[in-house]
Amino acid sequence: MSMSKLVPSIRPDKDQLDFFREIAAVTGNNYTNTLEFYSSLPAILFDAGHADTSKPYRKIFTYGNEQFTLIMKPTNIVRKGDVVRQAFPGQREGIVREVVTKMAIDSPDILHQIKAANQTKVELRCSLSRIRARCIEAGHGWKLEEIHEALQILSECRIEIKQGSVRISPEVGLLGYGYGINETDSERSLAVITFHPLFIGALRKKGYRQIHYGRLMQLKHPLARWTYQRMSHYYTTVEKGFFGFSSAKPYNISLKFILENSTMTRYVNLRNNVRECRQAWADMLRCGILTAVRDKEKHGYDEEIRYDTSARGRGRKPIIDAVWDLWISGEVVEDMIVATQKTKKLVDSEKNEST
């Protein structure tokens, strides 16, 4: 997978606001979008509070059939009392990023196009209070200073992505962030946010998939959010009647794949990881993403635990892997059908215009 596929060059005369207008045209009020490759980057840590910040975070992951390496540097955060701590993006930062993305799709009035270096870039400009209000709507009541800190971490934790020894994107944060001070009340009132080149690249080549924003924000478990987003890109063609019934094809995922491609902590005893996965699947069932499709199965999934049969000694044999078939609800299937139809219509329209 070449750099040109992931970060396509943008013509100097191309209006980047068109990318946002196009994605807005296919996104309903209750939906947001995941973006190819950019949304798959393992840069949002499941447990950032216990991460080792004494060195850069390094993660090898798979996208498509190819391997990439993400290297992320921690940033210094100064809190009240001049207490300095180092931090990586965690679940708060991941949710704030989703909220800001949704705002960019929903609110063209806060988007501004800036010309720089023979090309254009888009800035989202609004008050931190407005971002906070959207976070509260999504069920997350952080204070202004907490949202400011989250945006700062997203901006200042620089990520580098390599394929082999070749860097495939600039070394920048997951988004850019600056703020202005309101002189009347000293509030950090103006947030200026810019978007990662991989984000813009995905918009340009229509590499996004619709996902239900309300369900995504309701999910409490980080693995549940990660899995739900991956699902949206996995099923690129969906037909009615194919999912949601006893003969449906489920979403298949293994513990090995999760540990290799997400930021879940790998425990010495994999039973702890299995337990965490079950908690995530229960969260997805609670939010209507999974469904209990059969009388004998009430959890929304089938599970196969694989043991080390060569292990000797007393007690339970060690777990070496686990595999789940996750049964997707009819509502999510409908979302996938609509997403596929909208994306196809947009791509076909652009093809017709270019011929």
Side-chain angles (χ1 to χ4, degrees), residues 285-305:
L285 181 64
R286 175 185 62 83
C287 292
I289 297 167
L290 301 185
T291 182
V293 294
R294 294 173 296 176
D295 292 338
K296 67 177 182 178
E297 181 53 77
K298 302 297 184 184
H299 305 298
Y301 61 86
D302 290 332
E303 177 181 88
E304 178 190 350
I305 305 296

Side-chain angles (χ1 to χ4, degrees), residues 211-212 215-216 224-232 289:
I211 187 170
H212 196 284
R215 278 194 285 266
L216 180 64
R225 286 195 292 273
W226 181 85
T227 304
Y228 182 36
Q229 290 182 316
R230 291 195 72 91
M231 279 180 173
S232 69
I289 297 167

